[in-house]
Amino acid sequence: MKHQALMFLTTLLALSLNGYGQQPPVGGPCEGCEAIHESPVPFDKLASFVKLPDATWAGKKPLGINGIVYKADGKTPAPNVILYVYHTDEAGQYVAKKDATGWERRHGSLRGWMRTNEKGEYKFVTPRPAPYPSRTDPAHIHITVKEPGLTEYYIDEFVFDDDPLLTADHRRKLANRGGSGILKLKDVGNMYKAERPIYLGRNIPNYPAAQ
């Protein structure tokens, strides 16, 4: 019996060392990335489109941001990828609801989750965020990615090409994780639209070689 128990423990250890039963950590440190797991809808029930709170066509025009998520080869659409986005309000603040729990208290209530469809497509509509008050950082939208079989990781924030705070120096320092996050907005009448393709694994530390 003791021999069988020892063999069982040895097998479990071997599986663990070979990476079975756990997700490979990729992307390096990522404070707050675990917020992706706070989705109020199960991952497999998420749609590829989400309208974030406060997005409205009354008053200021909202943003419609869409794109295709590609696998690491840069050309194959990637379905069933979870995306989590959050950003400041029009005053540059992360404002949470009074009953907020978890990471919503830090990220604010302007946040949402999507799952890419069979064509790798995603889309969200949201108010345009403002930069932090009294700071030089350009306005931005944070994004976290969760691929099937891998741990979540962050990619470059969505930033705006027409933002005066997005200086040449800031552009040079962008890591282009997941590809460029610079958005060129197009006024289509009732809203602004922009596209961003996302490339899984691009400039992501510790990303598996074959995906």
Side-chain angles (χ1 to χ4, degrees):
M1 180 66 75
K2 290 183 178 179
H3 177 72
Q4 291 177 333
L6 179 60
M7 289 293 293
F8 178 72
L9 291 173
T10 302
T11 301
L12 286 179
L13 178 60
L15 290 174
S16 176
L17 291 175
N18 283 316
Y20 291 94
Q22 62 181 11
Q23 295 175 314
V26 297
C30 186
E31 182 182 2
C33 277
E34 58 266 38
I36 199 169
H37 296 284
E38 294 181 344
S39 173
V41 177
F43 283 173
D44 63 349
K45 302 296 183 184
L46 285 170
S48 60
F49 166 76
V50 66
K51 184 171 78 71
L52 271 63
D54 295 348
T56 176
W57 279 261
K60 293 184 178 180
K61 298 178 183 179
L63 304 178
I65 300 171
N66 70 283
I68 297 176
V69 177
Y70 294 98
K71 294 183 179 181
D73 63 10
K75 58 184 180 182
T76 305
N80 302 318
V81 175
I82 308 303
L83 305 176
Y84 167 65
V85 295
Y86 70 96
H87 62 80
T88 62
D89 63 12
E90 293 180 330
Q93 305 284 350
Y94 295 106
V95 178
K97 295 179 295 187
K98 291 182 179 179
D99 60 348
T101 60
W103 280 96
E104 185 180 355
R105 291 176 293 184
R106 293 270 301 275
H107 292 174
S109 298
L110 287 173
R111 61 180 193 158
W113 293 259
M114 297 152 279
R115 178 172 60 95
T116 58
N117 61 21
E118 67 280 359
K119 297 180 180 179
E121 297 168 329
Y122 74 92
K123 181 178 180 179
F124 63 99
V125 174
T126 191
R128 180 167 178 164
Y132 303 136
S134 304
R135 296 269 293 276
T136 58
D137 304 275
H140 55 276
I141 299 173
H142 296 277
I143 176 169
T144 303
V145 173
K146 175 71 175 71
E147 301 179 44
L150 294 179
T151 53
E152 57 273 7
Y153 57 89
Y154 73 91
I155 61 175
D156 269 22
E157 301 155 346
F158 295 92
V159 290
F160 304 97
D161 188 59
D162 62 355
D163 188 338
L165 293 177
L166 187 63
T167 63
D169 182 60
H170 188 96
R171 292 170 191 256
R172 283 193 297 269
K173 293 178 180 178
L174 295 173
N176 288 325
R177 290 173 60 117
S180 174
I182 299 176
L183 300 177
K184 293 186 177 182
L185 300 180
K186 181 180 180 180
D187 189 343
V188 296
N190 65 337
M191 65 189 303
Y192 294 97
K193 288 188 175 182
E195 293 187 11
R196 178 192 181 177
I198 294 172
Y199 302 94
L200 298 176
R202 181 168 294 182
N203 299 319
I204 303 298
N206 302 320
Y207 194 82
Q211 274 291 312

